[in-house]
Every structure is written in C-alpha cells, then in structure tokens.
Amino acid sequence: MDSTGKKMEHRKLGLAGPAVSAIGLGCMGMSDAYGPADRAESIATIRSALDAGVTLFDTADFYGSGDNEMLIAEALRGVARERYQLSVKFGSLRDADGGWGPLDGRPEQVKNFLAYSLRRLGVDHIDIYRIARLDTAVPIEDTVGALADCVRKGWIRHIGLSEVGEDTLRRAAAIHPVSDLQIEYSLMSSGIEEGILPTCRELGIAITAYGVLSRGLLSGHWRPNGKTDFRAMSPRFQGEDLVANLALVERLSALAVTKGVTASQLTIAWILAQGKDIVPVVGARQRERLAQALGSLAVTLSADEVAAIDRAVPKGAAKGARYPEAMLRRLDSERAKTASA
C-alpha cells in the first residue's frame, strides 16, 4: 500500500522485462550529487518505500564510488530477494577526488564492474543492468553482447540502456532484448517524445523516467538557497533562465491547488498518464518526500486536466539545457538532435 492506502500499481518493463512498481525509488541523492544526506534517514526511506510496495530501486556503482550500493544493501538486509528489483548502472569512471573520467563499456570491464556490484549489494544477481552512457569507443553490440553473456550465466536478469538514441536502441535490441531505457523525461524535458519514445514503443522497450521533477524545480517547494550541488552548474538553475522556469512552476502550482494536490504529485501523475510503459523513478531522500511522491498514484487526471498541464508548461518552454554543454556532448540521446540541427 502507498501512503494513501491504495494498493501499489505495477507496470511491465517492455516485452522482455519484469513487472515493477509503478513508481521506482532513485537512490543517487542519498550518496552523491545533491549535497550531504542523512544516512539513517536514507535507509529509513528505502525501508518505507519497500513497505509501501515499491519494488524498483535504482542505483549505480559510481554513486558515491560504491557507497550507494552498500547503503542499499544495508537497508535491504534480511528482506526476501523476490520482494525487490535492483536496477544498476555501470561504466562511468571516477577518481579519488570524486571527479569524473571517461565511459568504459569494454566487454571485459562489464563483468569486472558487475562482480564488484554483486559483492557490495550482497546479492547473487542484479535484475536490470545497464551502461550509464554510451561508450563511443566500443560498439554497443560488444557491450550488449557481454551483458547477454551475463544473463546466460544468471548474474543479471535483464538488460537495460540509458540515455541513448534511436539508432543505438535498434542496434542493441538486435543483439538481445532490452527491457527499458532510463532517460530524463518530465514536463520540462519532453524531447524523447519526438523520436526516442516512439522507437522504444516500436521495439517493445519501456521507459524508466528520471528527473521527473526536473531536479526539484517542479516540486513546487524548491527555492534558491546558495548551497552548492549539481544544480550549481545546471543551466536551468542560472540567472534569468531560473526566473523563467520558476514562473512556469507557479502556473503548475496553481493548477495543483485547484486539484487539491501538490505540484510534485501533479507532475508525477502527468508522467504516469503518458503511458503504461513509463515508470517514473523519483529521487526522494526523506520519508516525507517519498510519501508525497507516492501520493501521486491516487491522482487521476482527465484528458482536459492533462491538456491544462500541457498549457501551463508548454513543450519547449523550459529555459536552459538539462545538463551543461560538456555533459550534453556525452549523451547519445542528444547527439542525433545536435547533428540534425
């Protein structure tokens, strides 16, 4: 049950993947990117999610350089393995100062990364395993081929992808079935609707959507606070772009008030309404925020209400890119748009 007492809905991850809770929990912020987190509260949030019926927990071996996997292992210790599904990314290299290196999708490295994740998580298999970003130096066929071998060995159950474009999706799916594509999707980042989402639907690949609250902008309660985290270098959180984006949020918040829900609940409900093949992954770090997000499951939107939300935050209205330019250049999902521009 979620915080409203409603039984958790489940959605299937594509033709090849498992059935998972309609909302997943993204655990990155508990160890990385958004400033200090309360470890005890993070663990309590994971356990509360499990109690509410959340089955999908998303992490990466590079979140906190392994810390996030160990935190999840601690939170889920003693829980029957069939009660939860782990979605894990690999391939982004880090250094001892927390800096970022290149991507590594070489087949021999796939199995190396996996071995360490299995140990840190304390499990004998990972449900969905995916390279975090496309390694342009390695054909996707080689990376997916190595993942397919891991499936055959029982080390992973399903293969996912993250932030790749249509061509890469097709090439990967030709080697092995792909359960889902993890990619940013929100009212402020709806570019996947142009080509990536239709391609996924053609191939029977689900979407696990991250950034559904646009890193807090769409929550309705975010305010500039001078703290330094990932948002300090995000174009959408800078100067006049931020002012324009917060004006969009005010319009969304006004709609939420008339509906009797929060802006974040309205935003997540909008994502849920885009199709049964889309699973939002929310990055709640506190039980209060988790309960609010799960409350969106009880929000039903009519066609007129969806249209009103689309008018409040029109497609393409967000100011500033979703990542700094250097990071955008590393996204296969963005390269095709750049090339055609």
Side-chain angles (χ1 to χ4, degrees):
M1 300 281 184
D2 65 19
S3 59
T4 67
K6 181 179 179 181
K7 187 176 181 180
M8 177 61 71
E9 175 191 345
H10 288 80
R11 297 184 168 190
K12 195 171 187 300
L13 291 188
L15 297 176
V20 302
S21 53
I23 291 179
L25 180 62
C27 300
M28 177 183 71
M30 299 175 180
S31 300
D32 216 343
Y34 293 101
D38 183 321
R39 187 177 184 85
E41 179 63 21
S42 295
I43 290 172
T45 300
I46 292 172
R47 291 174 178 166
S48 291
L50 191 70
D51 290 342
V54 173
T55 66
L56 182 64
F57 297 88
D58 182 78
T59 185
D61 62 10
F62 48 85
Y63 290 169
S65 299
D67 175 76
N68 201 238
E69 290 179 319
M70 292 186 287
L71 183 148
I72 290 172
E74 181 178 349
L76 297 178
R77 187 171 297 125
V79 177
R81 184 64 180 86
E82 62 270 17
R83 287 187 60 193
Y84 62 88
Q85 294 130 332
L86 297 171
S87 169
V88 181
K89 293 179 288 296
F90 69 91
S92 287
L93 304 184
R94 305 290 295 268
D95 63 28
D97 289 326
W100 295 90
L103 272 294
D104 194 340
R106 291 174 295 165
E108 62 271 26
Q109 289 297 84
V110 170
K111 296 177 182 179
N112 177 74
F113 292 136
L114 175 60
Y116 284 96
S117 284
L118 290 170
R119 178 63 62 89
R120 283 189 292 262
L121 288 162
V123 297
D124 64 1
H125 72 274
I126 288 170
D127 300 277
I128 310 154
Y129 200 52
R130 70 186 87 236
I131 188 165
R133 301 286 187 263
L134 178 67
D135 179 356
T136 56
V138 179
I140 191 62
E141 290 85 353
D142 292 354
T143 302
V144 172
L147 290 169
D149 190 41
C150 293
V151 172
R152 288 188 288 270
K153 291 180 182 296
W155 298 334
I156 65 175
R157 295 289 186 264
H158 305 281
I159 296 172
L161 293 170
S162 179
E163 287 287 358
V164 299
E166 297 99 302
D167 180 63
T168 301
L169 283 166
R170 294 184 187 282
R171 289 167 56 195
I175 301 300
H176 190 279
V178 175
S179 63
D180 65 303
L181 171 67
Q182 189 173 109
I183 195 165
E184 186 166 352
Y185 185 37
S186 74
L187 280 164
M188 286 189 171
S189 297
S190 57
I192 70 168
E193 295 175 356
E194 298 173 11
I196 290 174
L197 181 55
T199 300
C200 283
R201 287 175 167 162
E202 175 192 338
L203 297 172
I205 298 171
I207 296 290
T208 42
Y210 75 88
V212 294
L213 295 179
S214 198
R215 295 169 179 82
L217 266 180
L218 291 167
S219 67
H221 54 71
W222 186 87
R223 295 292 182 274
N225 55 20
K227 293 182 180 179
T228 300
D229 58 29
F230 170 81
R231 289 166 289 202
M233 61 178 181
S234 173
R236 286 188 180 165
F237 287 81
Q238 308 301 318
E240 294 182 359
D241 287 347
L242 175 61
V243 173
N245 291 332
L246 288 176
L248 294 174
V249 176
E250 287 183 11
R251 291 157 62 177
L252 182 70
S253 296
L255 287 178
V257 169
T258 64
K259 183 74 172 173
V261 300
T262 67
S264 62
Q265 287 170 337
L266 194 66
T267 301
I268 297 169
W270 180 88
I271 288 284
L272 290 165
Q274 301 309 302
K276 295 291 186 180
D277 55 349
I278 298 173
V279 174
V281 177
V282 299
R285 302 196 295 177
Q286 302 169 345
R287 284 168 285 181
E288 178 186 356
R289 297 290 186 225
L290 171 69
Q292 188 174 120
L294 294 179
S296 62
L297 292 167
V299 179
T300 301
L301 298 176
S302 68
D304 286 344
E305 288 172 324
V306 170
I309 293 169
D310 288 337
R311 288 194 297 271
V313 187
K315 298 186 190 309
K319 300 298 183 183
R322 62 191 181 102
Y323 282 114
E325 182 60 33
M327 296 180 71
L328 282 176
R329 288 197 296 268
R330 296 181 60 163
L331 297 182
D332 182 63
S333 54
E334 296 286 337
R335 291 189 188 102
K337 289 190 286 186
T338 302
S340 61

